[in-house]
PDB file of all heavy atoms in Angstrom:
ATOM      1  N   SER A 298     -22.622  20.290 -17.980  1.00  0.00           N
ATOM      2  CA  SER A 298     -23.531  19.690 -16.992  1.00  0.00           C
ATOM      3  C   SER A 298     -24.296  18.522 -17.562  1.00  0.00           C
ATOM      4  O   SER A 298     -24.523  17.511 -16.884  1.00  0.00           O
ATOM      5  CB  SER A 298     -24.525  20.756 -16.476  1.00  0.00           C
ATOM      6  OG  SER A 298     -23.831  21.773 -15.791  1.00  0.00           O
ATOM      7  N   ALA A 299     -24.722  18.651 -18.821  1.00  0.00           N
ATOM      8  CA  ALA A 299     -25.422  17.552 -19.470  1.00  0.00           C
ATOM      9  C   ALA A 299     -24.513  16.344 -19.623  1.00  0.00           C
ATOM     10  O   ALA A 299     -24.952  15.212 -19.416  1.00  0.00           O
ATOM     11  CB  ALA A 299     -25.937  17.997 -20.849  1.00  0.00           C
ATOM     12  N   PHE A 300     -23.261  16.571 -19.981  1.00  0.00           N
ATOM     13  CA  PHE A 300     -22.275  15.464 -20.063  1.00  0.00           C
ATOM     14  C   PHE A 300     -22.130  14.798 -18.698  1.00  0.00           C
ATOM     15  O   PHE A 300     -22.188  13.566 -18.623  1.00  0.00           O
ATOM     16  CB  PHE A 300     -20.963  15.976 -20.602  1.00  0.00           C
ATOM     17  CG  PHE A 300     -19.806  15.007 -20.410  1.00  0.00           C
ATOM     18  CD1 PHE A 300     -19.949  13.678 -20.773  1.00  0.00           C
ATOM     19  CD2 PHE A 300     -18.615  15.405 -19.840  1.00  0.00           C
ATOM     20  CE1 PHE A 300     -18.900  12.757 -20.584  1.00  0.00           C
ATOM     21  CE2 PHE A 300     -17.578  14.514 -19.644  1.00  0.00           C
ATOM     22  CZ  PHE A 300     -17.722  13.183 -20.017  1.00  0.00           C
ATOM     23  N   PHE A 301     -21.912  15.584 -17.662  1.00  0.00           N
ATOM     24  CA  PHE A 301     -21.644  15.027 -16.328  1.00  0.00           C
ATOM     25  C   PHE A 301     -22.846  14.177 -15.897  1.00  0.00           C
ATOM     26  O   PHE A 301     -22.657  13.064 -15.351  1.00  0.00           O
ATOM     27  CB  PHE A 301     -21.398  16.133 -15.313  1.00  0.00           C
ATOM     28  CG  PHE A 301     -19.975  16.675 -15.322  1.00  0.00           C
ATOM     29  CD1 PHE A 301     -19.088  16.337 -16.324  1.00  0.00           C
ATOM     30  CD2 PHE A 301     -19.536  17.503 -14.292  1.00  0.00           C
ATOM     31  CE1 PHE A 301     -17.783  16.826 -16.323  1.00  0.00           C
ATOM     32  CE2 PHE A 301     -18.227  17.990 -14.275  1.00  0.00           C
ATOM     33  CZ  PHE A 301     -17.354  17.643 -15.305  1.00  0.00           C
ATOM     34  N   GLU A 302     -24.036  14.705 -16.054  1.00  0.00           N
ATOM     35  CA  GLU A 302     -25.247  13.995 -15.632  1.00  0.00           C
ATOM     36  C   GLU A 302     -25.422  12.680 -16.399  1.00  0.00           C
ATOM     37  O   GLU A 302     -25.682  11.616 -15.799  1.00  0.00           O
ATOM     38  CB  GLU A 302     -26.473  14.897 -15.854  1.00  0.00           C
ATOM     39  CG  GLU A 302     -27.758  14.309 -15.318  1.00  0.00           C
ATOM     40  CD  GLU A 302     -28.939  15.277 -15.522  1.00  0.00           C
ATOM     41  OE1 GLU A 302     -28.734  16.502 -15.485  1.00  0.00           O
ATOM     42  OE2 GLU A 302     -30.042  14.767 -15.728  1.00  0.00           O
ATOM     43  N   THR A 303     -25.168  12.721 -17.716  1.00  0.00           N
ATOM     44  CA  THR A 303     -25.333  11.540 -18.527  1.00  0.00           C
ATOM     45  C   THR A 303     -24.201  10.530 -18.235  1.00  0.00           C
ATOM     46  O   THR A 303     -24.452   9.314 -18.182  1.00  0.00           O
ATOM     47  CB  THR A 303     -25.323  11.891 -20.026  1.00  0.00           C
ATOM     48  OG1 THR A 303     -26.286  12.911 -20.249  1.00  0.00           O
ATOM     49  CG2 THR A 303     -25.656  10.680 -20.894  1.00  0.00           C
ATOM     50  N   PHE A 304     -22.973  11.038 -18.043  1.00  0.00           N
ATOM     51  CA  PHE A 304     -21.844  10.142 -17.769  1.00  0.00           C
ATOM     52  C   PHE A 304     -22.118   9.373 -16.484  1.00  0.00           C
ATOM     53  O   PHE A 304     -21.891   8.142 -16.429  1.00  0.00           O
ATOM     54  CB  PHE A 304     -20.545  10.953 -17.632  1.00  0.00           C
ATOM     55  CG  PHE A 304     -19.337  10.081 -17.363  1.00  0.00           C
ATOM     56  CD1 PHE A 304     -18.704   9.439 -18.400  1.00  0.00           C
ATOM     57  CD2 PHE A 304     -18.891   9.872 -16.066  1.00  0.00           C
ATOM     58  CE1 PHE A 304     -17.600   8.627 -18.166  1.00  0.00           C
ATOM     59  CE2 PHE A 304     -17.788   9.073 -15.810  1.00  0.00           C
ATOM     60  CZ  PHE A 304     -17.137   8.445 -16.865  1.00  0.00           C
ATOM     61  N   ALA A 305     -22.574  10.061 -15.434  1.00  0.00           N
ATOM     62  CA  ALA A 305     -22.834   9.376 -14.158  1.00  0.00           C
ATOM     63  C   ALA A 305     -23.862   8.262 -14.332  1.00  0.00           C
ATOM     64  O   ALA A 305     -23.682   7.139 -13.855  1.00  0.00           O
ATOM     65  CB  ALA A 305     -23.313  10.400 -13.122  1.00  0.00           C
TER      66      ALA A 305
END
Side-chain angles (χ1 to χ4, degrees):
S298 297
F300 166 49
F301 278 12
E302 186 178 327
T303 309
F304 181 83

